[in-house]
Amino acid sequence: MTAPNALDHVRPVFRRILVWAGLLAVGLAVVGGVVGLLVAGTPGLAGGLLGAVLSVVFLGLTALSVLVALRVSKGQMISGAFFGIVMGTWLLKFVLFIVVLVLLRGSDWIDFPTLAVVIIVGVVGSLVIDVVAVAKARVPIGVALPGSSPEPEKNDTRD
Protein backbone atom coordinates (compact mmCIF):
# COMPACT_ATOMS: atom_id res chain seq x y z
CA MET A 1 0.00 0.00 0.00
CA THR A 2 1.36 3.40 -0.91
CA ALA A 3 1.03 6.49 1.21
CA PRO A 4 -1.60 9.02 0.12
CA ASN A 5 -0.36 11.83 -2.10
CA ALA A 6 -0.48 14.96 0.04
CA LEU A 7 0.64 17.42 -2.60
CA ASP A 8 -2.77 18.65 -3.70
CA HIS A 9 -4.21 18.81 -0.19
CA VAL A 10 -1.32 20.35 1.74
CA ARG A 11 -0.24 22.98 -0.79
CA PRO A 12 -3.22 25.31 -0.08
CA VAL A 13 -2.57 25.08 3.66
CA PHE A 14 1.01 26.25 3.30
CA ARG A 15 0.07 28.94 0.84
CA ARG A 16 -2.38 30.23 3.45
CA ILE A 17 0.43 30.11 6.02
CA LEU A 18 2.63 32.22 3.73
CA VAL A 19 -0.14 34.83 3.26
CA TRP A 20 -0.74 35.01 7.00
CA ALA A 21 3.02 35.26 7.53
CA GLY A 22 3.07 38.32 5.29
CA LEU A 23 0.36 39.92 7.40
CA LEU A 24 2.28 39.01 10.56
CA ALA A 25 5.41 40.61 9.10
CA VAL A 26 3.60 43.87 8.38
CA GLY A 27 2.13 43.91 11.89
CA LEU A 28 5.49 43.12 13.48
CA ALA A 29 7.25 45.79 11.44
CA VAL A 30 4.70 48.47 12.31
CA VAL A 31 4.22 47.65 15.99
CA GLY A 32 7.82 46.54 16.64
CA GLY A 33 9.24 49.53 14.80
CA VAL A 34 7.02 52.08 16.53
CA VAL A 35 7.46 50.60 20.01
CA GLY A 36 11.20 50.22 19.41
CA LEU A 37 11.41 53.85 18.29
CA LEU A 38 9.53 55.04 21.37
CA VAL A 39 11.58 52.90 23.77
CA ALA A 40 15.10 53.08 22.33
CA GLY A 41 15.08 55.64 19.55
CA THR A 42 16.52 54.87 16.13
CA PRO A 43 18.34 51.70 17.28
CA GLY A 44 15.00 50.44 18.61
CA LEU A 45 13.34 51.15 15.27
CA ALA A 46 16.13 49.23 13.51
CA GLY A 47 15.80 46.35 15.98
CA GLY A 48 12.05 46.17 15.51
CA LEU A 49 12.25 46.22 11.72
CA LEU A 50 15.10 43.72 11.56
CA GLY A 51 13.31 41.42 14.00
CA ALA A 52 10.20 41.50 11.81
CA VAL A 53 12.24 40.71 8.70
CA LEU A 54 14.08 37.83 10.38
CA SER A 55 10.87 36.40 11.80
CA VAL A 56 9.07 36.34 8.48
CA VAL A 57 12.10 35.05 6.56
CA PHE A 58 12.44 32.10 8.91
CA LEU A 59 8.70 31.40 8.89
CA GLY A 60 8.61 31.65 5.12
CA LEU A 61 11.57 29.31 4.75
CA THR A 62 9.74 26.65 6.72
CA ALA A 63 6.58 26.84 4.63
CA LEU A 64 8.51 27.04 1.37
CA SER A 65 10.68 24.07 2.33
CA VAL A 66 7.58 21.94 2.89
CA LEU A 67 6.12 23.02 -0.47
CA VAL A 68 9.39 22.28 -2.28
CA ALA A 69 9.80 18.98 -0.44
CA LEU A 70 6.28 17.92 -1.39
CA ARG A 71 6.97 18.69 -5.03
CA VAL A 72 10.33 16.88 -5.06
CA SER A 73 8.96 13.84 -3.21
CA LYS A 74 5.87 13.80 -5.45
CA GLY A 75 3.58 14.29 -2.47
CA GLN A 76 4.98 11.41 -0.43
CA MET A 77 5.54 12.87 3.02
CA ILE A 78 7.23 9.70 4.24
CA SER A 79 10.06 9.84 1.70
CA GLY A 80 13.68 10.56 2.50
CA ALA A 81 13.68 13.49 0.09
CA PHE A 82 10.85 15.17 1.99
CA PHE A 83 12.54 14.85 5.37
CA GLY A 84 15.95 15.74 3.96
CA ILE A 85 14.70 18.99 2.46
CA VAL A 86 12.69 20.03 5.52
CA MET A 87 15.43 19.15 8.02
CA GLY A 88 18.12 20.66 5.79
CA THR A 89 16.17 23.92 5.69
CA TRP A 90 15.75 23.82 9.47
CA LEU A 91 19.51 23.43 9.89
CA LEU A 92 20.11 26.25 7.40
CA LYS A 93 17.77 28.52 9.37
CA PHE A 94 19.58 27.68 12.60
CA VAL A 95 22.99 28.44 11.10
CA LEU A 96 21.72 31.68 9.50
CA PHE A 97 20.25 32.80 12.81
CA ILE A 98 23.55 32.23 14.63
CA VAL A 99 25.52 33.99 11.86
CA VAL A 100 23.18 37.02 11.97
CA LEU A 101 23.50 37.27 15.75
CA VAL A 102 27.29 37.01 15.61
CA LEU A 103 27.50 39.64 12.86
CA LEU A 104 25.21 42.03 14.76
CA ARG A 105 26.92 41.53 18.12
CA GLY A 106 28.25 44.82 19.44
CA SER A 107 26.49 46.94 16.82
CA ASP A 108 25.47 50.36 18.06
CA TRP A 109 22.85 50.89 15.38
CA ILE A 110 20.53 48.16 16.72
CA ASP A 111 18.80 47.68 20.06
CA PHE A 112 19.13 43.99 20.95
CA PRO A 113 16.29 43.85 23.52
CA THR A 114 13.87 45.21 20.90
CA LEU A 115 15.24 42.78 18.32
CA ALA A 116 14.85 39.87 20.74
CA VAL A 117 11.27 40.76 21.73
CA VAL A 118 10.15 41.15 18.11
CA ILE A 119 11.77 37.84 17.14
CA ILE A 120 10.10 36.08 20.09
CA VAL A 121 6.71 37.58 19.17
CA GLY A 122 7.35 36.52 15.58
CA VAL A 123 8.16 32.95 16.58
CA VAL A 124 5.07 32.68 18.80
CA GLY A 125 2.96 34.30 16.07
CA SER A 126 4.27 31.86 13.48
CA LEU A 127 3.45 28.93 15.75
CA VAL A 128 -0.09 30.25 16.17
CA ILE A 129 -0.40 30.67 12.39
CA ASP A 130 0.81 27.10 11.79
CA VAL A 131 -1.57 25.64 14.36
CA VAL A 132 -4.61 27.58 13.15
CA ALA A 133 -3.94 26.91 9.46
CA VAL A 134 -3.40 23.18 9.99
CA ALA A 135 -6.32 22.86 12.42
CA LYS A 136 -8.70 24.50 9.93
CA ALA A 137 -7.42 22.41 7.02
CA ARG A 138 -9.50 19.56 5.73
CA VAL A 139 -6.74 17.23 4.55
CA PRO A 140 -7.89 13.66 3.83
CA ILE A 141 -5.67 10.93 5.20
CA GLY A 142 -6.84 8.07 2.98
CA VAL A 143 -7.59 5.60 5.77
CA ALA A 144 -10.62 3.31 5.71
CA LEU A 145 -12.50 3.28 9.00
CA PRO A 146 -13.45 -0.01 10.64
CA GLY A 147 -16.73 -1.32 9.26
CA SER A 148 -16.56 0.74 6.08
CA SER A 149 -15.63 -0.60 2.70
CA PRO A 150 -13.17 1.33 0.55
CA GLU A 151 -15.74 1.71 -2.24
CA PRO A 152 -19.51 1.36 -1.92
CA GLU A 153 -20.96 -1.59 -3.76
CA LYS A 154 -23.16 -0.84 -6.77
CA ASN A 155 -26.03 -2.99 -5.47
CA ASP A 156 -25.99 -1.34 -2.06
CA THR A 157 -29.47 0.09 -1.36
CA ARG A 158 -28.73 1.47 2.09
CA ASP A 159 -29.45 5.17 2.62
Side-chain angles (χ1 to χ4, degrees):
M1 178 176 184
T2 62
N5 188 322
L7 188 58
D8 295 330
H9 302 292
V10 175
R11 187 181 301 146
V13 175
F14 281 93
R15 284 189 180 143
R16 186 174 310 121
I17 288 172
L18 288 173
V19 169
W20 290 353
L23 296 173
L24 175 66
V26 171
L28 281 174
V30 170
V31 174
V34 169
V35 170
L37 182 64
L38 293 174
V39 171
T42 306
L45 174 64
L49 293 177
L50 184 60
V53 168
L54 290 174
S55 295
V56 78
V57 165
F58 292 140
L59 172 73
L61 282 174
T62 299
L64 286 173
S65 72
V66 172
L67 290 173
V68 169
L70 283 171
R71 181 173 299 268
V72 169
S73 69
K74 296 179 178 62
Q76 300 300 318
M77 296 178 79
I78 60 170
S79 76
F82 179 85
F83 285 110
I85 291 169
V86 173
M87 289 305 295
T89 303
W90 184 84
L91 288 171
L92 174 68
K93 288 184 344 181
F94 182 73
V95 169
L96 284 174
F97 183 71
I98 298 298
V99 166
V100 167
L101 289 181
V102 167
L103 289 175
L104 292 175
R105 182 183 48 184
S107 298
D108 293 336
W109 62 274
I110 195 161
D111 182 55
F112 264 81
T114 304
L115 175 70
V117 168
V118 172
I119 288 175
I120 291 169
V121 171
V123 167
V124 171
S126 70
L127 291 173
V128 169
I129 286 172
D130 289 345
V131 167
V132 170
V134 171
K136 287 187 171 188
R138 305 277 299 174
V139 179
I141 57 173
V143 175
L145 297 175
S148 67
S149 61
E151 294 182 24
E153 295 180 22
K154 292 182 181 179
N155 295 334
D156 192 3
T157 59
R158 290 181 279 166
D159 289 330

